[in-house]
Amino acid sequence: MTATSLIGQSIVKPDARDKALGRTQYGVDLKPRDALVAKVLRSPHPHARILRMDVSKARQLPGVVAVVTAEDTPAVHYGRWVHDRTVFARDKVRHVGEPVAAVAAVDEDTAEEALDLISVEYEQIPEVVDPQSAMAPGAPLVHEDMASYGPSTVRRGGQGNILDQTVISAGDVEKALAQCDVVQRQSYQAPATHHGTIQTHEAVASVDATGKVTLWSATKSAFAVRQTVCLALGLPMSRLRLIVTAMGGDFGARGTAVIEPIVVLLALKTHRPVALTLTRQEEFTGTSYREPAYMELEVGAKKDGTLLAVRGKYTIDTGAYHDSVGHLRPNTAMLVGPYRVPNFHLEGFVVYTNNVPRGHVRAPRAPYPIFAIESLIDAVADKLGMDPVEMRLKNAVQNGDTVPIGAVVEHVGFTQTLQAVSAHLEKEGKPQAPNQAWGVAAGQWSIHPIESGGPTSAAYVKVNEDGTAVLVTGVADQGAGQHALMAQIVAEVLSIPYDAVSLVAADTDLTPYEQATGGSRTTYRAGTTVRLAAEDARRQLISLASERLKVAGADLGMEGGKVFSREAPEVSVTLAALGAASLGSRGGPIMGSSNAGRAELMEAMAKAHGTVDGPIYCCHAAQVEVDPETGQVKVLKYFVAQDVGRALNPKLVEAQIQGGVVFGLGGALTEAVAEQQGHVLNANLLDYRQPVATSVPPIEMTLIEEPSQFGPWGAKGVGEPPTVPVGAAIANAIFRAVGARVTTLPLTPDRVVQALKNRP
Amino acid sequence: MVRFEYLEPTSLGEAVSLVDRHWGQVRVMAGGTDLLVRLKQRVIRPQYVLNLKRVPGLDGLTYAKGQGLRIGALTTIRTIETSPVVKEHYPVLAEAAGMLGSVQVRNLATVGGNLCNASPSAEMPPGLLAYGAQARIVGPKGERTVPLDQFFLGPGQTCLLQGDLLAEVLVPESAPKTAGVYIKLSPRAAMDCAVVGVAAVVTLEDGKCKDCRIALGAVAPTPLRPRSAEDLLRGKPLDPGLRERAGQAAMEEAKPITDVRGSAEYRKEMVKVLTRRAVQQAFQRAMAS
Ligand SMILES: Cc1cc2nc3c(=O)[nH]c(=O)nc-3n(C[C@H](O)[C@H](O)[C@H](O)COP(=O)(O)OP(=O)(O)OC[C@H]3O[C@@H](n4cnc5c(N)ncnc54)[C@H](O)[C@@H]3O)c2cc1C
């Protein structure tokens, strides 16, 4: 790093201005003039056999160009992870909203009319809508015959409706619990929640005369979506190019092929461009989102607050299809929280039901187990008369600890986050007003070994003849500023101004492979690859400069757009001159490349003996006011301490933390998809209540910078952890304010009033 | 959206005759904030949509001392929220209007639409009921005036007959020493429908409650006046014990359902709490007036 380093500078992300001014072009804005409009016919039933389907009337409607059903697709099952679905339901529907047919027509009204003309005869069969019933012997099976889904179907540990199950244990829980001075036991529940992105899913596909399809989609996983579409439709990858368009929010919604197979199929059928935009209602039945979860937990501690044992069970309702990377072991291990616990026995289950499919939402599967353990730890602290932060400090996971999944955590800044919260609460003092209090909760993210993530990426850095550079990367920017950050990394390595780097991104034919913009891994992992590619370009520049200046490479420096001799700085050559000269040089144009980000991380980790891949820790504190008569909870103040490793761009980090907290506030207080026998009762943003501006308190934060060994300049992931502990922080604050423990999310007024009545 | 024929009458007479002629197949549109959502979701599929906005004389507020306030059916919620006259003489209406949806919605939404949509949780009925408002209805056989508490028949159902349109809402002049309040309970601070809404308007005389009207939203198939609670309070000093009993009485009259916005038990309990609070706040404001 140099005196003029860009690392740690809050560079404004380049898309901010257009977004603020409403100029950003989204997929719908790019719709070709002659595009057909697609609409999807969806199942009205949670579980039914399709006895008969007649699309002839729809086909005859003037303006309808194509109607497609399961008959128009290859007989394969696909999915991004578990291959359990088909483009259209074949013999039976497994959830309300499952696609049954699709129409392409000259306009939306005609397409909708055509849907009305498709007749489907269903025979309803009994549905299972909660995992407990689905696990019971004799329960109706959601997937009767997964074995027939083909060799690529990953059936995980389970039987019947159980897709996956796991047990993790250490020590002797029974014995340890008997030795504890305090044992607390509690069940917790949390509902399905939705991303609620402002932009609904949209995609446009177009076919040229050679049969090559171009697909424009607002996805964060261009390559995975291409692969899934090709699998679903039997297309070679060379025939499908996916170009990522601007995303109006992701929060986990844009990692899998949701509508893309349908749009591509219709474009191939009609040889016309086809556009499909989901309605808000379809967002709630035709996508996948956070799984409801059930947690049973027992925690035992000694008088001095030392945690001795945790027994837990974690059951997830994955709906009719499984749209999750779903590392059940690390997910289940979340039940012990970020603590040293010598004895534990944890069970985890993933269960199919006839609910809408479940998938990723910001910090997949972390908030609910953390809600359980952080609520219960708080109860134990209260029972012991111990300060809740001190209780956590006493048991906090430390550098070099082996965590329940059996890997080691390093560069752990957890204790510092707890200390920061302690200091903040000291400064704030106890609220004097009645029914007000602070509550705290800790959180963690990315506690799994590197093998599980498959974090592959590559990047090119091209140096132009004028000394500016172009970064070519598969990274998609879902609004969090990833592109700004990648450019910042290149500019730093080449010592050129930030705006001298331009970017080509997320196009499956043009840019190299990238796994996804997700898991809080982009800066951490793709950033490493981009750094290595920029360093490769730098090496080539130095080598060319060495030839021209007749100075050994090791004696050359690079700064301010120049390569110069360290001994005699006036001996120098500009990057522009090098860029131009490279065109005629033996080595040809300068193009740095790397696909070694993963290799570098794995090597480093192998050396560090099976280390957890970039663990992140945080602690939150919320001040609430509770109206004990109506149960209404107002969040007055919020504080976050998070270990970010190194804040490469502090403004972006702050924005991620603020956004993450707001997202968490929704899940804590108001958001729940209301489901009844597989039907969604609140498929709109009026009754699915996300926070509004007035719901958000002032959010303060302290960034802890305990550098990671692996991320660029010590950076760790940022975006998901701030969502994780919010529910527990507020639940704990409610308890401290009025003595009521709410154990079901969200913490609605109704439940607060109920809990107040159940107060001992 | 479904295909429909768009009608745009330019007089009230023409509007009434069109609605009469196409009764059962026509939907009247004012601000469209309820109607368009349902049209787009294909919940309703009318053959005709009749836009009222070009009909003159249905818009605006007029206040005359001693006679009260006339609110044209097309008056927007935003107009009511911001009108100095309403704020001075009927503050409960301005208060309620300010809690409906968002500014963007309030700029489009009309009072007529809010009443005719007849949602049990609608924002404007409780305040209007508490002020003793009446509805002026114009139809093929002429016009009639109906007390607002006879206007609502059930969710989405009003007393409007074939060809009828709501033309105006009439709000009588309040007696001296009258004040009121509207309390809306909703989980989200804005852009939310009421889980329970309570309006109370109290008139004092010699420190006692001379008259009192309470109206509840979202706790029965229609907005509701809990008469037994009002009867308890009338003629008495509004002490805390009495207010508590009024809350209890209101609760006993409420017949809420459980839906995605709240459970029946919770709603019932909140009627008690909020009625007590509303009466207390109205009382305090009236004392100060
Ligand atoms: C995002 C959002 C938030 C909302 N929040 C709230 C809220 O917090 N509280 C609340 O109460 N409402 C809320 N609403 C509902 C709606 O905005 C109100 O009910 C509004 O007052 C309806 O008025 P409008 O003019 O838009 O009615 P329209 O949609 O035009 O009409 C509604 C109904 O009334 C009929 N109608 C309208 N005018 C007449 C007339 N003069 N004579 C006969 N029939 C007529 C129509 O045929 C239709 O059936 C919300 C709506 C949205 C979209």
Side-chain angles (χ1 to χ4, degrees):
Chain A
M1 246 174 294
T2 62
T4 55
S5 175
L6 295 172
I7 299 306
Q9 286 193 31
S10 291
I11 287 158
V12 177
K13 55 183 191 143
D15 55 329
R17 202 182 157 77
D18 275 355
K19 284 200 173 137
L21 294 174
R23 286 191 188 140
T24 303
Q25 299 279 301
Y26 292 92
V28 281
D29 302 314
L30 308 172
K31 194 165 82 180
R33 217 180 273 279
D34 59 339
L36 298 171
V37 175
K39 282 274 167 191
V40 181
L41 184 70
R42 296 177 181 279
S43 164
H45 304 300
H47 207 186
R49 267 184 251 291
I50 300 174
L51 300 181
R52 207 182 50 83
M53 178 148 53
D54 182 0
V55 299
S56 54
K57 282 212 188 93
R59 286 212 169 105
Q60 282 154 19
L61 183 71
V64 170
V65 185
V67 182
V68 289
T69 67
E71 286 177 15
D72 300 278
T73 63
V76 291
H77 285 82
Y78 73 94
R80 184 165 163 204
W81 296 283
V82 174
H83 294 187
D84 58 0
R85 61 164 72 214
T86 53
V87 180
F88 297 108
R90 265 176 198 278
D91 307 319
K92 72 168 191 174
V93 289
R94 294 181 174 82
H95 70 90
V96 170
E98 179 162 4
V100 172
V103 172
V106 290
D107 58 35
E108 192 173 334
D109 291 348
T110 309
E112 279 180 351
E113 252 181 274
L115 294 189
D116 284 349
L117 296 175
I118 299 174
S119 82
V120 187
E121 202 181 308
Y122 293 101
E123 180 199 356
Q124 281 185 256
I125 46 184
E127 69 274 2
V128 272
V129 293
D130 68 90
Q132 287 74 22
S133 329
M135 284 196 279
L141 290 179
V142 180
H143 296 269
E144 289 97 340
D145 190 16
M146 274 189 91
S148 72
Y149 288 3
S152 50
T153 300
V154 189
R155 172 90 195 189
R156 300 189 176 171
Q159 285 288 323
N161 286 321
I162 303 174
L163 173 69
D164 196 358
Q165 65 186 64
T166 195
V167 178
I168 312 168
S169 62
D172 187 336
V173 171
E174 214 55 57
K175 216 165 105 195
L177 284 174
Q179 291 163 2
C180 288
D181 298 310
V182 181
V183 175
Q184 295 266 300
R185 195 175 298 128
Q186 185 63 53
S187 306
Y188 299 87
Q189 248 189 70
T193 60
H194 199 271
H195 327 89
T197 58
I198 293 180
Q199 172 198 43
T200 63
H201 283 81
E202 56 179 34
V204 180
S206 173
V207 186
D208 73 11
T210 69
K212 169 108 184 187
V213 185
T214 306
L215 169 63
W216 291 268
S217 164
T219 175
K220 65 170 172 190
S221 312
F223 292 87
V225 169
R226 177 182 66 168
Q227 182 186 34
T228 319
V229 173
C230 288
L231 173 64
L233 301 180
L235 284 177
M237 286 190 186
S238 57
R239 265 187 71 195
L240 179 65
R241 173 181 181 188
L242 194 160
I243 300 173
V244 170
T245 53
M247 277 177 262
D250 164 31
F251 316 119
R254 309 196 186 280
T256 57
V258 178
I259 53 174
E260 289 83 353
I262 294 175
V263 185
V264 171
L265 177 65
L266 284 170
L268 286 166
K269 279 271 166 202
T270 60
H271 280 276
R272 303 236 331 237
V274 175
L276 172 55
T277 305
L278 292 190
T279 62
R280 183 60 62 188
Q281 197 158 12
E282 286 179 296
E283 282 288 304
F284 281 88
T285 57
T287 71
S288 54
Y289 41 87
R290 190 173 332 269
E291 316 95 332
Y294 303 78
M295 284 79 52
E296 285 164 36
L297 208 57
E298 195 171 357
V299 170
K302 298 294 280 180
K303 247 199 234 94
D304 67 352
T306 308
L307 287 173
L308 277 194
V310 172
R311 178 159 39 207
K313 186 170 158 197
Y314 172 52
T315 309
I316 301 172
D317 161 11
T318 191
Y321 300 103
H322 185 74
D323 258 344
S324 173
V325 61
H327 302 306
L328 185 57
R329 280 178 64 77
N331 300 149
T332 304
M334 284 269 183
L335 283 176
V336 304
Y339 304 110
R340 296 174 147 175
V341 181
N343 305 283
F344 51 84
H345 183 87
L346 312 169
E347 294 174 48
F349 298 90
V350 179
V351 186
Y352 280 125
T353 65
N354 293 110
N355 287 315
V356 175
R358 317 302 189 181
H360 290 173
V361 172
R362 196 169 190 163
R365 292 192 181 169
Y368 294 167
I370 289 293
F371 170 64
I373 183 66
E374 284 300 307
S375 296
L376 202 52
I377 289 267
D378 206 71
V380 171
D382 179 61
K383 196 100 196 157
L384 290 169
M386 220 174 148
D387 175 80
V389 183
E390 203 185 311
M391 167 101 196
R392 288 171 170 86
L393 270 168
K394 186 158 192 98
N395 296 285
V397 71
Q398 302 293 338
N399 247 340
D401 280 2
T402 299
V403 292
I405 51 157
V408 175
V409 285
E410 303 217 316
H411 309 277
V412 175
F414 183 39
T415 294
Q416 294 94 305
T417 68
L418 293 168
Q419 287 162 343
V421 166
S422 214
H424 187 79
L425 295 184
E426 189 114 326
K427 190 186 87 191
E428 287 278 336
K430 267 208 163 53
Q432 293 308 310
N435 306 317
Q436 287 189 7
W438 284 93
V440 300
Q444 61 182 355
W445 178 244
S446 185
I447 313 296
H448 43 68
I450 193 164
E451 290 75 26
S452 58
T456 308
S457 66
Y460 308 125
V461 174
K462 306 190 290 175
V463 178
N464 298 322
E465 304 87 285
D466 63 354
T468 60
V470 180
L471 167 65
V472 185
T473 166
V475 169
D477 186 324
Q478 8 80 314
Q482 285 89 352
H483 285 170
L485 205 74
M486 296 301 130
Q488 199 171 340
I489 289 172
V490 173
E492 173 70 12
V493 172
L494 296 181
S495 293
I496 55 178
Y498 168 75
D499 54 12
V501 181
S502 74
L503 205 108
V504 174
D507 173 331
T508 55
D509 272 10
L510 266 188
T511 66
Y513 184 86
E514 181 62 46
Q515 184 199 12
T517 308
S520 303
R521 311 276 77 185
T522 302
T523 300
Y524 176 74
R525 283 178 185 159
T528 300
T529 303
V530 167
R531 176 177 59 75
L532 291 172
E535 281 172 359
D536 187 28
R538 183 186 165 106
R539 248 189 319 276
Q540 295 176 34
L541 285 164
I542 296 267
S543 145
L544 189 57
S546 163
E547 267 174 41
R548 306 202 88 206
L549 299 176
K550 313 267 185 277
V551 177
D555 298 330
L556 291 173
M558 189 187 290
E559 210 172 312
K562 275 188 203 154
V563 179
F564 55 89
S565 157
R566 283 189 220 276
E567 269 172 25
E570 67 284 0
V571 179
S572 70
V573 55
T574 63
L575 295 195
L578 290 171
S582 75
L583 303 182
S585 79
R586 250 182 312 128
I590 287 172
M591 191 179 83
S593 76
S594 173
N595 57 3
R598 176 180 166 85
E600 185 173 271
L601 291 186
M602 289 188 74
E603 229 165 84
M605 289 193 177
K607 263 189 228 140
H609 48 77
T611 313
V612 167
D613 183 13
I616 307 159
Y617 297 93
C618 61
C619 186
H620 289 199
Q623 190 193 335
V624 304
E625 178 173 18
V626 183
D627 181 330
E629 282 190 315
T630 63
Q632 285 186 305
V633 176
K634 194 163 183 215
V635 184
L636 303 173
K637 292 177 180 178
Y638 208 92
F639 177 75
V640 176
Q642 183 171 323
D643 176 16
V644 301
R646 181 80 197 270
L648 302 184
N649 183 324
K651 270 274 174 295
L652 290 182
V653 169
E654 279 169 31
Q656 280 304 296
I657 291 179
Q658 285 164 348
V661 169
V662 174
F663 205 87
L665 284 173
L669 291 167
T670 51
E671 288 183 43
V673 177
E675 299 181 301
Q676 196 176 60
Q677 293 309 110
H679 295 266
V680 176
L681 305 180
N682 58 346
N684 63 71
L685 294 185
L686 186 58
D687 288 322
Y688 182 81
R689 301 184 187 92
Q690 295 177 296
V692 293
T694 49
S695 329
V696 179
I699 300 167
E700 289 187 68
M701 65 186 80
T702 296
L703 302 183
I704 307 295
E705 295 190 312
E706 175 70 32
S708 143
Q709 184 183 348
F710 313 120
W713 293 275
K716 293 176 180 170
V718 170
E720 279 162 312
T723 298
V724 176
V726 184
I730 292 174
N732 292 340
I734 293 171
F735 173 76
R736 305 272 161 187
V738 294
R741 283 262 174 223
V742 186
T743 53
T744 299
L745 287 173
L747 311 162
T748 57
D750 216 337
R751 293 189 174 124
V752 173
V753 167
Q754 206 52 48
L756 277 162
K757 283 191 197 148
N758 298 340
R759 237 176 342 187
Chain B
M1 197 162 359
V2 288
R3 288 171 208 276
F4 53 79
E5 202 172 308
Y6 180 67
L7 307 172
E8 203 171 75
T10 50
S11 73
L12 190 54
E14 189 193 351
V16 167
S17 79
L18 281 169
V19 174
D20 185 31
R21 185 171 341 137
H22 300 303
W23 189 249
Q25 286 145 10
V26 63
R27 289 286 178 162
V28 174
M29 182 171 104
T33 59
D34 277 315
L35 190 81
L36 284 177
V37 178
R38 286 150 57 81
L39 264 182
K40 283 188 180 167
Q41 291 182 348
R42 302 164 80 83
V43 178
I44 50 171
R45 301 174 176 212
Q47 275 175 34
Y48 302 92
V49 170
L50 181 145
N51 182 6
L52 270 189
K53 288 261 170 145
R54 301 255 182 252
V55 175
L58 288 184
D59 191 5
L61 298 161
T62 42
Y63 172 73
K65 190 138 190 79
Q67 289 172 14
L69 180 71
R70 308 176 80 94
I71 310 174
L74 287 180
T75 308
T76 67
I77 301 295
R78 182 70 174 161
T79 303
I80 294 171
E81 177 192 1
T82 54
S83 152
V85 168
V86 176
K87 282 196 213 165
E88 186 184 341
H89 300 281
Y90 305 94
V92 178
L93 300 183
E95 210 162 62
M99 295 181 195
L100 187 150
S102 62
V103 174
Q104 292 89 331
V105 172
R106 300 201 280 275
N107 274 328
L108 288 170
T110 65
V111 172
N114 196 252
L115 298 182
C116 294
N117 196 53
S119 158
S121 67
E123 232 63 77
M124 299 314 292
L128 287 168
L129 284 167
Y131 280 127
Q134 298 188 309
R136 190 166 72 83
I137 296 166
V138 177
K141 296 190 193 109
E143 60 171 86
R144 62 203 154 101
T145 302
V146 177
L148 205 59
D149 45 15
Q150 291 164 28
F151 184 80
F152 305 104
L153 303 181
Q157 289 174 307
T158 65
C159 70
L160 295 182
L161 301 171
Q162 172 155 353
D164 280 351
L165 289 169
L166 175 66
E168 247 184 350
V169 184
L170 313 169
V171 197
E173 179 81 33
S174 296
K177 277 277 181 209
T178 296
V181 68
Y182 176 68
I183 301 178
K184 173 180 181 173
L185 185 75
S186 59
R188 190 158 68 176
M191 284 299 271
D192 210 350
C193 289
V195 172
V196 176
V198 180
V201 171
V202 170
T203 303
L204 297 182
E205 197 176 62
D206 307 328
K208 283 189 194 158
C209 170
K210 180 174 177 230
D211 198 8
C212 165
R213 283 198 212 87
I214 301 169
L216 310 175
V219 292
T222 65
L224 181 83
R225 291 255 316 264
R227 309 263 175 185
S228 61
E230 295 176 357
D231 292 345
L232 266 177
L233 299 170
R234 210 167 283 123
K236 312 246 176 57
L238 294 176
D239 57 60
L242 191 63
R243 297 196 295 253
E244 183 72 35
R245 276 197 284 141
Q248 184 70 32
M251 179 174 95
E252 279 157 20
E253 288 201 40
K255 296 178 276 296
I257 55 162
T258 294
D259 64 14
V260 293
R261 291 175 186 151
S263 69
E265 303 74 52
Y266 178 70
R267 284 185 153 127
K268 241 177 141 55
E269 236 181 292
M270 289 310 107
V271 168
K272 180 168 112 184
V273 172
L274 298 183
T275 301
R276 187 216 325 125
R277 287 186 185 178
V279 171
Q280 180 193 350
Q281 286 173 30
F283 171 64
Q284 278 169 350
R285 287 183 186 181
M287 291 286 280
S289 70

